[in-house]
Amino acid sequence: MKSSAMVTPRPAREAVSNASPAKVAFGGVSFSYPGRQALSGVTLDVPERRVTAIIGPSGCGKSTLIKSINRIAEIGTEVKVEGRVTIDGQDVYAPGVDLVDLRRRVGMLFQKANPFPKSIFENVAFGPRIHGASRAGDLDQAVERSLRQAALWDEVKDRLGTSAMELSGGQQQRLCLARVLAVDPEVILMDEPCSALDPISTARIEELIEELRERYTVVIVTHNMQQAARVSDRTAFLLNGQLVEVDDTETIFTTPADRRTEDYITGRFG
Amino acid sequence: MDSRIESKIGKAGTVPVVPGAVRRLRRGRWREVFIETFLRLNGFIAIAAILLIFIFLFKEGIQAFRTIPAGHFLQSQELDFDNVPQTVRLWQPVGQNPKYSLIPLLLGSFLVALPGTLIATIFGVACGIYLAEIAGKRTREVIKPAIELLAGVPSVVIGFFCLATLATFVQDALGTTFRLNAMVGALGVSLVIVPVIATMTDDALRAVPGYLREGAHALGANRWETITRVVVPAGASGLVAAILLGMGRALGETMIVLMATGNAAQVTLNPFDSVRTMTATIAAELGAVPQGGEQYRALFLVGSLLFVMTFLINLVAELAVARMRRRLAL
Amino acid sequence: MKRRFVETIALALLRGTAFAVLLATILLIGSIVRGGAGVITWEFLSATPTEGMTHGGIFPAIFGTICITLLMIVMALPLGVCAAIYMVEYAGSSGLARVIRASVNNLAGVPSIVFGLFGVGFFILFIGRSIDRVRGGGLLFGQPAMLWAAATLAVLVLPVIIVNTAEALTAVPRSHREASFALGATRWQTVRRVVLPQARAGILTGSILSVSRGAGETAPILFTGCAYFLPRLPIVHLGVPFTGLSVPMVNPLDQFMELSYHIFIMATQSTDAAATRPIQYGTTLILVALTFILNLAAISLRVRYRRGLESR
């Protein structure tokens, strides 16, 4: 990335700032793993039914930030969380929070597509099944709907019984998206979902994100600044675990307020 | 169904995706708690069973010191025919004046374990290198299962093989005084640990990333140079662990040494003498001792010592493996 | 040129040693097959020993081996697998969990005779005698018996089963667990629907190998229940109330004959070891065959399982 001119932000739809109610809100969040602090004092509002991109150099805490929303960050390790992470005003770290319900409401797409070594159908049906759907009709319907939403239905409708591991990388990632959509979440988190994909597959995922915006609140972590500029409404820049700046994507990429943001998006470091 | 789906985005919001979810959720939570409790209980029972071994063994073993002075586990005094006190290092737990020197037992154990480990290291490491670095797929699929089968042979079978076949063969070939001696036991024990060392060496070397080999070849090293200068050094900790674990097995092996070493507790450094190992002592005497007696406790002390020795060896081996994992960033 | 020469020689040596190990295996098995094949007849498999164990068959030993192995499986397998699932999937990675994992690992390498000591001291003299004291009426539990021998073997294979199961579980990629949790699956749903289906073959392989190890062990049962010679099978006839019928049942409080112990005792303690050599070879062959069947099953399962993993 040589200059900021290369990054063309998408045309502004409407001013997002303060127009949309916050779906997810971070209030002074500090997050530590044993011997390492990942986030310190992050305050950030994620507007409802918008795409919010999180950018920043490697190790700046982007992944931890979104994994703290559905509390995946704490799996298999001990963590310390200060401040509040809320969804619709409810603190997700409050005692007695039902993790199952939380994670049903917040879907997640990972850096590397991680379909289960099961059939395509079983992958998508996994969520509905664990949440109690058992009637074959319901499952069929949920699977078809989700695969259509993920624009994968036409490619796989004749081979729903084959292993998901036989799909291409891009198809696998869309299958994972279908798997997320099948549990009908409100928020969808994406942790660099295209980092392992070729440009064509990336473009398809980006098209899908465009459509998801209409119904879901999307938070996407990305290394790729063109991607952030193309798909997001709001962009937050994170550095060393601290939030440097958050604004409408157009503003961030044209007239950033902070010097460090400008340095980063123009490729001077990171 | 198609008619219900108007756009790709669909109408999921208006149709409950998961009928009956709330009702099931409540029942599911109880099941979750029940299952976790059940599994935890199993975990604790297993751990408790294992802890009991530690505790029980040491509890009985330490009691040996109540009646036997600590020095007697090294040597004791005995009057000879002229009533002159002589220092003796004997394991003779039965009789008027029982003697409990551990020295002949320790020597016996090491006279079997060290040559056994040495032989097994030569063959096992070579075999592991061959499997990991040289063998083609075909050969591998013959030798690997053969080694796994050898690993599965019960030790009493190898003991029987040593007693019935190998001992005669060794005596004819080397002309040893005793048909059953430490060397026969060492050869038998090496049959048990060659598979251990070979398999672990193979695993350790196969964990060495391919780019290291490619790098060496790209610099013009041939296969042998690649093996000795790059692959083996990278997997060295794994090899050390393999050899240590093999040694632990050799020290703890019971049936083979019981059947093949002649079982004479004596102070010797000659590997062609009959010896008696710590394990064989327990196996030979435990059946005849009264509970709670002095000899019973002495046997538990021998067991505790054996336990500590193998535990330490295994611990070092485990640290070595952990070190290799870290270094290769696995 | 010299480098080339060294390489050729060295590689040939390595190949030679590998084939030497193969040869040793073949010699070992070959000598046992050659010595034992002629002895094995239907009578040898189905009859009891006669004439001071110099003639007859080894049926009681086969029967005892099968009984004790099954009893050991019942005692150790479910416990070990559940404990491993708890340790890997639930206990997390706290300091205590790591210490426990390390000690279980280490116990898998503790000498089998130590377990024999434990079996005598703990099961027979401590537990058994305590039961007898409470129960009153003489020695019943406080003496060597199949129950205690199986329990000793169970304690021996328990760490092995735990280690093997834990290995199969940790081989399942972490990303699959994360995906499952992120979809709102509970821990048990994740274990049952994502982890166990993938680990099943590995767990099965490990379990068969552990069981085979237990079935071939001799040292732990030397003093916990094996008998030199028993003219009867360890069977008790239990009367069914009101019917006048009786049902034969294996009596876990009886002593029993066992293949590996039979080999040991015949080869070392019999009055004329040379005369009964054929019986010893035959018994050895049967034991080897038994453990080989288990091992072959495990190896072929593992080959299939590895192929499955690699195709992913």
Side-chain angles (χ1 to χ4, degrees), chain C residues 90-103:
Chain C
Y90 287 82
S93 57
S94 66
L96 182 67
R98 273 210 301 276
V99 169
I100 288 176
R101 225 164 282 164
S103 32

Side-chain angles (χ1 to χ4, degrees), chain C residues 24-225:
Chain C
T25 313
I26 292 170
L27 273 177
L28 169 69
I29 308 299
S31 84
I32 285 157
V33 172
R34 210 192 53 191
V39 189
I40 298 195
T41 57
W42 177 243
E43 198 215 334
F44 186 71
L45 296 178
S46 63
T48 39
T50 51
E51 295 168 46
M53 312 232 306
T54 52
H55 293 81
I58 54 164
F59 179 70
I62 297 175
F63 182 80
T65 303
I66 292 172
C67 286
I68 193 181
T69 307
L70 290 179
L71 204 54
M72 169 192 83
I73 292 174
V74 170
M75 289 178 181
L77 195 58
L79 183 65
V81 171
C82 289
I85 292 175
Y86 179 73
M87 280 165 57
V88 175
E89 304 293 334
Y90 287 82
S93 57
S94 66
L96 182 67
R98 273 210 301 276
V99 169
I100 288 176
R101 225 164 282 164
S103 32
V104 171
N105 260 344
N106 267 337
L107 268 169
V110 163
S112 53
I113 188 70
V114 169
F115 289 94
L117 268 180
F118 177 71
V120 173
F122 183 73
F123 287 125
I124 300 181
L125 297 180
F126 185 69
I127 303 229
R129 292 272 160 93
S130 300
I131 295 176
D132 282 344
R133 217 167 297 132
V134 172
R135 202 181 49 95
L139 222 53
L140 178 64
F141 286 90
Q143 54 188 351
M146 183 186 284
L147 178 67
W148 304 133
T152 309
L153 281 185
V155 176
L156 172 100
V157 295
L158 194 59
V160 188
I161 292 175
I162 294 178
V163 168
N164 286 336
T165 306
E167 201 165 291
L169 290 174
T170 39
V172 176
R174 196 188 139 91
S175 68
H176 289 170
R177 291 188 184 86
E178 279 190 341
S180 172
F181 284 130
L183 288 167
T186 61
R187 211 164 262 280
W188 174 242
Q189 282 170 332
T190 304
V191 170
R192 202 181 70 112
R193 290 169 191 254
V194 177
V195 179
L196 283 184
Q198 290 185 63
R200 198 170 41 206
I203 294 175
L204 197 59
T205 311
S207 302
I208 297 175
L209 285 177
S210 319
V211 165
S212 145
R213 158 128 196 246
E217 276 292 353
T218 321
I221 55 174
L222 282 175
F223 313 110
T224 48

